[in-house]
Amino acid sequence: MCGIVGYLGERPILPLLIKGLHRLEYRGYDSAGVAIVPQAGGDIKGLQLFKKKGKVADLVAEIGSAEPQGRAGIGHTRWATHGAPNDVNAHPHLSGNGRLALIHNGIIENFHPLKESLAQRGHTFESETDTEVLVHLIEEILAIEGCDLFTAVRNALAEVVGAYAIAVIDTQDPDVIVVGRKSSPLVLGIGDGEYFVASDATPIVEYTKNVVYLEDEEIARISLQDGLKIRTIGNHTVTPVVEALEMEMEAIEKGGYEHFMLKEIHEQPRSIADCLRGRVRLDHGVVRMAGIDDHCEMWTAASRVIVVGCGTSWHAGLVAEYLFEDFARIPVEVEYASEFRYRNPVINKGDIVIAISQSGETADTLAAIRMARERGAHIFGVCNVVGSSIAREADSGAYTHAGPEIGVASTKAFTAQVAVLALVALRVGELRGKIDGATFGRMLVELQSVPEKLESILAQEQTIVEIAKAYAHAPNALFLGRGYNFPVALEGALKLKEISYIHAEGYPAAEMKHGPIALIDEDMPIFFVATQDAHYEKVVSNMQEVKARGGRIIAVVTRGDTHAAALSEHIIEVPKTADALVPLLSTVPFQLLSYHIAVLLKRDVDQPRNLAKSVTVE
Ligand code: M6R
């Protein structure tokens, strides 16, 4: 969702902010803007503000040949919440007197009463946004004699209910940026005599690896003269902790691929290997995971696992349900975080909540773990982004180590989540004495062979391109699978719909007879996952039912299959593996298929309409 970038230093500021905005594009947005404070005593008077509906390229066109100057600047990509995506609602927003500019991610829930009381005191507003209310509130507090910007921001945020990451600049303090956060991430980059501010590390990594992650309810004043000072909203001093950024530039560039999504699909052999590295010791036949090993007794005694997540991460949770039941024999419930957080769930002592999130910032998942913790659950996080909010708030956890995922459609993050969850289920099964040594050892061998098997699936890309050509213009599609491949069917449908805008549904194959079968005709592609596992014969029966009604079948099958293949117009082969690991393979053909259909339809693959990479509002 919205992205924040800020810079304080001597570099040419406009190109740096624009580059930062480009780096943040993947988060999803519909307008962009920048504001730069002119230097004291110079010819330029007042904030230099540019904002535009559309892409960063539209903003650049709007700026044209203007050459704003200064040492402090902020930039923003806005994903509309309060008010339409247009030039006026785009950030930055200015105070009534034009002295301050502010950018904001998140939602100010009490903006209505704040706006009304400000209006009663004479404030007028140009935009429909909640953000403009905040900058007016800061302006009003700043007008109190003796108040400085740091204090004004702190006092204003104390009145705010909601989620925010903000950055503010002040024409009367041209070498300063004040930032603050609550439930929305903010990273500060510490350079040599320069500072960077961003929603995530992608705009920063090019310049410095020294970062400070601002914590909830912390406010920072960054000054070229005085350095970095952090206080809490409650006015306690915080000593900044500088951490080393674990990110390389190549991870956030396309590396010769046309889209990030395609690059990330092809990275999966490596990302799965990275995920297993150091955790699976084939020579000793062991799984080592600190997040589990440090809490052996808790896992041994666990009475239930509740998995929460959204979207693709929720699908990984569904796979986890099968894994935990098969290997660890623990009752599992898988919940949409957005529903779970507003229910009144019964959480007992001994319940473990697994929160799955690529970004680690999804608002509903974050709220769900906070609620579950309050009720006594232990929170185990499965996140990809190191240092993200969910990773930091979890009691224990395991990173997926998939590397930055920039394409909005989640691909390598999903397979890495499944791989981590398989390791967790195996390790916990071992601790609880629910898995025999032979099965355990065989699963480790199978896991280690996944990267190589993924390579052989990726090598079939040209076959998948041909299938994509045959079905790119279908208005609807159905994805069917059973057992471990039921979540794969859901994930296949989600991938297709989110980047191609083709209506697609995923179903357990047997459920087809209870409704979706009515949709089947000769124009309807039905994508089956028919790998040779425990459900193979049943799935083949479902394929026959579709075939009998003239449906067009495309099937993901096990290499060498003839039976399911004979019922299909097109097949994509995946190597044989253990049933529990099939999702790691069978999901990849659907990723490639969705990608190539979206390309054929000329969709914006990496930034599909209306979607955001990191959904930081509920
Ligand atoms: O960052 P998270 O894993 O928490 O994100 C959850 C969903 O927003 C995400 O998986 C979304 O469904 C993807 N666009 C799917 O490709």
Side-chain angles (χ1 to χ4, degrees):
M1 290 195 152
C2 305
I4 280 179
V5 62
Y7 178 68
L8 190 60
E10 300 290 349
R11 293 180 198 249
I13 194 159
L14 182 66
L16 189 143
L17 291 176
I18 295 294
K19 196 175 204 181
L21 291 179
H22 278 302
R23 296 260 188 243
L24 294 169
E25 284 190 295
Y26 81 99
R27 297 168 68 92
Y29 72 107
D30 34 49
S31 61
V34 291
I36 296 167
V37 186
Q39 307 253 277
D43 294 339
I44 306 167
K45 305 289 174 215
L47 279 161
Q48 304 155 93
L49 174 73
F50 305 88
K51 34 193 215 170
K52 195 71 192 158
K53 177 187 175 187
K55 296 287 185 185
V56 175
D58 299 309
L59 173 68
V60 171
E62 172 77 7
I63 296 170
S65 58
E67 290 179 1
Q69 307 288 323
R71 289 195 291 240
I74 52 179
H76 190 264
T77 50
R78 171 177 187 251
W79 189 89
T81 57
H82 296 63
N86 58 32
D87 295 356
V88 175
N89 289 332
H91 299 207
H93 287 282
L94 302 187
S95 55
N97 58 9
R99 173 178 166 181
L100 309 174
L102 180 146
I103 51 178
H104 164 226
N105 292 357
I107 287 183
I108 297 167
E109 288 169 15
N110 61 336
F111 92 102
H112 266 304
L114 289 175
K115 189 171 186 173
E116 271 170 23
S117 65
L118 282 163
Q120 279 165 11
R121 296 194 295 275
H123 290 259
T124 56
F125 301 92
E126 290 184 355
S127 77
E128 300 156 87
T129 64
D130 49 346
T131 305
E132 195 184 3
V133 173
L134 179 58
V135 70
H136 278 246
L137 184 61
I138 295 169
E139 170 190 11
E140 197 175 81
I141 298 171
L142 189 56
I144 298 168
E145 203 177 326
C147 188
D148 58 33
L149 183 64
F150 199 20
T151 310
V153 170
R154 189 163 49 75
N155 290 349
L157 290 179
E159 290 188 40
V160 163
V161 176
Y164 52 78
I166 62 162
V168 193
I169 49 176
D170 179 357
T171 44
Q172 294 190 16
D173 216 348
D175 289 342
V176 166
I177 302 179
V178 174
V179 299
R181 76 153 272 184
K182 183 181 177 193
S183 296
S184 196
L186 206 60
V187 190
L188 313 180
I190 316 294
D192 188 7
E194 59 182 352
Y195 298 89
F196 306 83
V197 175
S199 310
D200 62 55
T202 54
I204 295 179
V205 60
E206 185 175 347
Y207 308 103
T208 178
K209 291 270 175 95
N210 296 325
V211 293
V212 173
Y213 294 96
L214 213 61
E215 298 285 352
D216 259 2
E217 305 206 357
E218 286 182 358
I219 301 162
R221 178 179 188 270
I222 313 161
S223 154
L224 282 179
Q225 286 78 34
D226 308 328
L228 171 64
K229 292 195 167 52
I230 303 179
R231 300 187 80 78
T232 63
I233 289 189
N235 206 18
H236 300 293
T237 303
V238 176
T239 307
V241 179
V242 180
E243 298 181 37
L245 193 58
E246 287 178 30
M247 185 187 281
E248 299 304 328
M249 274 299 288
E250 65 171 35
I252 59 164
E253 301 202 313
K254 286 188 192 153
Y257 286 91
E258 199 181 335
H259 296 100
F260 280 110
M261 182 181 178
L262 188 61
K263 176 185 177 225
E264 288 155 7
I265 291 171
H266 279 270
E267 278 174 347
Q268 288 175 105
R270 197 182 71 192
S271 56
I272 295 296
D274 289 346
C275 173
L276 302 179
R277 185 168 300 117
R279 290 170 167 164
V280 175
R281 293 283 308 273
L282 271 189
D283 46 349
H284 293 80
V286 294
V287 170
R288 286 282 165 262
M289 301 182 88
I292 305 286
D293 299 341
D294 293 346
H295 302 274
C296 289
E297 280 176 23
M298 178 191 76
W299 283 99
T300 309
S303 48
R304 185 173 58 149
V305 166
I306 302 168
V307 185
V308 294
C310 303
T312 290
S313 294
W314 182 75
H315 295 158
L318 292 180
V319 179
E321 183 171 26
Y322 291 82
L323 290 164
F324 273 84
E325 285 178 359
D326 273 352
F327 298 128
R329 305 299 301 142
I330 306 183
V332 182
E333 287 169 26
V334 186
E335 306 274 357
Y336 283 115
S338 54
E339 288 296 314
F340 182 75
R341 64 177 289 195
Y342 286 117
R343 291 217 322 266
N344 184 16
V346 178
I347 295 179
N348 302 311
K349 196 168 180 307
D351 285 345
I352 297 173
V353 169
I354 300 183
I356 308 175
S357 176
Q358 187 286 130
S359 61
E361 302 294 348
T362 301
D364 283 319
T365 311
L366 195 52
I369 65 169
R370 287 175 179 161
M371 183 266 269
R373 183 185 301 97
E374 266 174 28
R375 294 176 181 226
H378 177 99
I379 313 297
F380 185 88
V382 175
C383 297
N384 192 39
V385 177
V386 175
S388 56
S389 300
I390 295 171
R392 291 144 82 83
E393 292 199 20
D395 300 307
S396 60
Y399 282 117
T400 47
H401 296 309
E405 190 179 68
I406 308 289
V408 161
S410 196
T411 53
K412 64 175 181 172
F414 173 75
T415 46
Q417 287 166 344
V418 171
V420 162
L421 291 162
L423 290 176
V424 173
L426 288 167
R427 177 73 182 114
V428 171
E430 186 188 32
L431 284 172
R432 294 165 71 93
K434 302 292 184 190
I435 183 168
D436 64 80
T439 308
F440 189 85
R442 189 171 64 83
M443 290 301 300
L444 296 194
V445 172
E446 287 290 352
L447 265 170
Q448 287 288 24
S449 70
V450 166
E452 199 185 324
K453 290 177 179 174
L454 284 169
E455 295 284 10
S456 76
I457 298 169
L458 295 169
Q460 294 175 70
E461 187 163 359
Q462 202 43 49
T463 308
I464 296 171
V465 170
E466 296 309 316
I467 299 174
K469 284 180 190 162
Y471 299 100
H473 296 285
N476 299 292
L478 194 55
F479 287 75
L480 300 172
R482 296 179 84 133
Y484 279 99
N485 281 322
F486 159 50
V488 172
L490 295 181
E491 176 61 8
L494 177 61
K495 279 303 78 96
L496 185 63
K497 77 182 113 185
E498 73 178 324
I499 59 167
S500 73
Y501 318 148
I502 292 173
H503 170 238
E505 297 204 42
Y507 260 87
E511 272 293 306
M512 178 187 65
K513 288 193 283 297
H514 301 283
I517 199 164
L519 298 171
I520 294 172
D521 62 21
E522 57 283 358
D523 295 327
M524 175 77 141
I526 321 280
F527 296 94
F528 269 96
V529 200
T531 49
Q532 288 172 358
D533 52 38
H535 300 274
Y536 177 65
E537 297 299 340
K538 301 282 181 202
V539 173
V540 170
S541 300
N542 298 140
M543 293 171 83
Q544 267 156 348
E545 289 156 5
V546 168
K547 184 96 177 148
R549 285 157 184 85
R552 305 181 65 184
I553 297 178
I554 307 94
V556 173
V557 300
T558 303
R559 184 169 297 150
D561 178 281
T562 51
H563 202 169
L567 295 167
S568 312
E569 279 187 35
H570 302 275
I571 57 162
I572 306 157
E573 293 186 321
V574 298
K576 178 87 182 137
T577 187
D579 287 11
L581 303 183
V582 169
L584 290 170
L585 306 182
S586 57
T587 200
V588 176
F590 291 154
Q591 296 172 349
L592 282 170
L593 187 79
S594 302
Y595 170 79
H596 285 291
I597 287 179
V599 168
L600 287 165
L601 295 175
K602 302 197 178 344
R603 305 300 193 216
D604 190 346
V605 173
D606 284 334
Q607 295 161 40
R609 69 183 179 201
N610 301 334
L611 279 168
K613 182 66 184 162
S614 168
V615 183
T616 50
V617 297
E618 64 171 296

